Amino acid sequence: MTELPADLRLPDVTDPQTVNWAEIPSPAFVLDETRLRRNLALISYVQEKSGAQIIVAFKGFSMWSTFPILREYGISGATASSLNEVILADEEMQGEVHAYAPAYSDEDFPEILRRSDHIVFNSLAQWERFRPQVEAARQGGRTIHAGLRVNPEYAEVETDLYNPAGPFSRLGVTRREFPDTLPEGIDGLHFHTLCEKDSDTLERTLEVLEEKFGEFLASDQVAWVNFGGGHLMTREGYDIERLIRVVRAFRERWNVHVILEPGSAFGWQTGWLVSSVLDVVHNVKDAVLLDVSVSAHMPDVLEMPYRPRILGAGDPPDDTHREADAGASGHRYIIGGTTCLAGDVVGEYVFPEPLKVGDRVVFDDMIHYTMVKTTFFNGVKHPDIGILHADGSYERVKVFGYDEFKAKLS
């Protein structure tokens, strides 16, 4: 973890080498309570020192069985991107509900409005479409904060799939499309251009934002600015003090309330995906079939793409993804999933001992942006959701079965 002031004590975390993985039913997403608490302690520190409000983005982390723990650390709400997430935030997070979606439907919006405290609109047309409903709710005594998402057309995101400020982006209003004055009824602005970035990227982004939208920030009409997500403050080496300094300076410069809504920062390095070997086959090279699916249970491995870490395994000496791990000589296997999709493959890894049926294969850092994106493709068994508690006990929070699979079909 990054260096912090001496008065900030972060809890120790579970050493995965001490976990008896064979005792955990496979397959399972396993969240480590000690790691979650460490992240929350750091996030709480940033919130206190910066004066910003930090809420959890459900699109990255929505494990609602942990929400009581989040509330212990002063996390006061959540941001939702759909009616379903809005309902989850309202019923389970029990705090402020901040809604943003690229487009709201006539069918969903009334319930979104009923349950939300902040609603951000992606376009001027969407605001004008739903403004009468917002104004009616306000006249009825509700305090509804309405914002517009702006697109500063600046981002430092390497992967086009995750770049919201790329050419011809549909996300947010650019300066050239922005009106000369803020629409009546709008009291905040929102931008989201970061993806697992450090605070220096935020600082450069704010310079562009202020250059393009400073005249609106200076308006008494703007009471709050939502910085979106992508602030990976719990990653080792992240410059926490710069983040605090940048946020405080922005708040003081424009006299606004600042909101951060990271998802990855909450679930970063908080757990694993436990799987078991079902078979080992040979076709020039050895290949392992696991009781999980890459495409169904960790889709970012294929979409991003990226190469996940497997506990106890290394890279082959000729691996092109990164330099070979020291001492990575051993037993080489192509690691694949259990669906019939030919590309349901993670890649090739080296294990110190031969793998056999029943052995556990544990993927690291599989909580944020993983559980939220799983599917029931091919009808393969969906991993459990469990919590490894601080006292070492394991709680099987959710077991998926045929009913969940069937419910998605007709």
Side-chain angles (χ1 to χ4, degrees):
M1 193 65 70
T2 187
E3 288 190 15
L4 295 167
D7 61 347
L8 177 62
R9 294 182 177 273
L10 294 178
D12 294 332
V13 298
T14 302
D15 182 349
Q17 294 185 354
T18 66
V19 179
N20 187 346
W21 298 109
E23 291 186 348
I24 294 177
S26 174
F29 288 106
V30 178
L31 178 130
D32 176 23
E33 181 185 340
T34 64
R35 292 168 185 265
L36 177 62
R37 287 187 179 277
R38 170 169 283 211
N39 284 353
L40 290 171
L42 195 150
I43 291 169
S44 177
Y45 171 81
V46 173
Q47 181 170 249
E48 177 187 356
K49 297 299 183 181
S50 70
Q53 178 185 14
I54 302 181
I55 59 179
V56 57
F58 278 3
K59 66 180 180 179
F61 182 82
S62 55
M63 188 173 172
W64 54 269
S65 56
T66 67
F67 290 174
I69 301 177
L70 269 61
R71 290 195 292 270
E72 289 181 33
Y73 290 84
I75 305 305
S76 59
T79 181
S81 300
S82 64
L83 174 57
N84 284 336
E85 286 189 346
V86 164
I87 295 172
L88 184 68
D90 185 34
E91 293 185 350
E92 300 296 339
M93 191 62 203
Q94 301 173 12
E96 289 186 7
V97 179
H98 296 236
Y100 164 78
Y104 300 108
S105 70
D106 291 336
E107 179 183 6
D108 290 349
F109 189 78
E111 187 68 5
I112 289 173
L113 175 62
R114 188 178 75 83
R115 293 176 179 265
S116 298
D117 303 286
H118 288 67
I119 304 179
V120 173
F121 296 87
N122 187 64
S123 71
L124 294 163
Q126 280 267 296
W127 164 242
E128 291 302 327
R129 183 181 190 88
F130 296 111
R131 175 181 173 182
Q133 294 184 49
V134 174
E135 296 294 356
R138 287 170 169 168
Q139 292 170 7
R142 292 277 311 283
T143 299
I144 306 291
H145 297 284
L148 282 175
R149 176 167 177 166
V150 298
N151 179 357
E153 299 179 273
Y154 176 85
E156 300 178 17
V157 180
E158 295 80 9
T159 303
D160 290 342
L161 182 66
Y162 296 99
N163 185 0
F168 317 116
S169 174
R170 75 195 198 286
L171 303 174
V173 185
T174 62
R175 182 62 185 88
R176 61 182 167 273
E177 301 296 331
F178 214 79
D180 293 333
T181 59
L182 280 172
E184 186 179 351
I186 294 293
D187 63 356
L189 297 178
H190 172 282
F191 73 92
H192 174 50
T193 63
L194 277 65
C195 179
E196 297 187 351
K197 291 297 183 180
D198 208 317
S199 49
D200 59 330
T201 302
L202 173 62
E203 189 168 27
R204 290 188 290 270
T205 301
L206 289 177
E207 291 175 0
V208 177
L209 178 80
E210 291 172 302
E211 177 185 351
K212 292 187 174 183
F213 295 95
E215 62 186 286
F216 305 106
L217 296 171
S219 166
D220 291 339
Q221 191 173 332
V222 173
W224 55 274
V225 179
N226 188 320
F227 286 13
H231 316 275
L232 196 46
M233 62 190 75
T234 51
R235 179 173 60 190
E236 183 177 359
Y238 185 100
D239 193 339
I240 295 292
E241 295 305 321
R242 183 200 292 259
L243 174 63
I244 293 170
R245 184 171 64 251
V246 167
V247 170
R248 290 181 64 176
F250 186 93
R251 289 178 50 240
E252 293 168 1
R253 188 158 56 247
W254 301 107
N255 189 30
V256 293
H257 176 61
V258 169
I259 303 163
L260 307 180
E261 48 178 41
S264 292
F266 283 85
W268 184 259
Q269 292 288 344
T270 56
W272 310 273
L273 174 57
V274 179
S275 66
S276 294
V277 176
L278 297 180
D279 196 11
V280 180
V281 299
H282 184 78
N283 180 6
V284 181
K285 292 185 176 184
D286 288 331
V288 167
L289 280 73
L290 301 175
D291 61 354
V292 295
S293 164
V294 184
S295 60
H297 304 143
M298 35 184 158
D300 270 352
V301 170
L302 302 180
E303 292 178 4
M304 189 73 175
Y306 82 102
R307 180 179 171 85
R309 178 172 173 258
I310 296 177
L311 300 187
D315 295 324
D318 60 350
D319 180 42
T320 59
H321 292 276
R322 56 186 178 181
E323 294 183 3
D325 290 347
S329 60
H331 302 270
R332 298 173 62 158
Y333 298 94
I334 296 171
I335 303 299
T338 189
T339 73
C340 59
L341 177 68
D344 195 5
V345 173
V346 179
E348 191 171 8
Y349 292 78
V350 176
F351 291 79
E353 301 294 336
L355 292 178
K356 61 184 184 301
V357 172
D359 284 348
R360 295 292 194 264
V361 174
V362 182
F363 295 90
D364 193 24
D365 195 21
M366 284 288 164
I367 301 300
H368 66 95
Y369 276 103
T370 303
M371 287 196 298
V372 294
K373 299 180 76 171
T374 58
T375 72
F376 285 89
F377 173 61
N378 244 191
V380 298
K381 179 176 174 56
H382 195 286
D384 296 349
I385 297 176
I387 299 177
L388 184 63
H389 289 291
D391 62 5
S393 63
Y394 179 68
E395 179 184 2
R396 207 174 181 187
V397 176
K398 173 68 176 178
V399 177
F400 295 88
Y402 172 72
D403 289 343
E404 286 86 0
F405 166 70
K406 182 182 179 182
K408 295 193 66 176
L409 306 173
S410 62

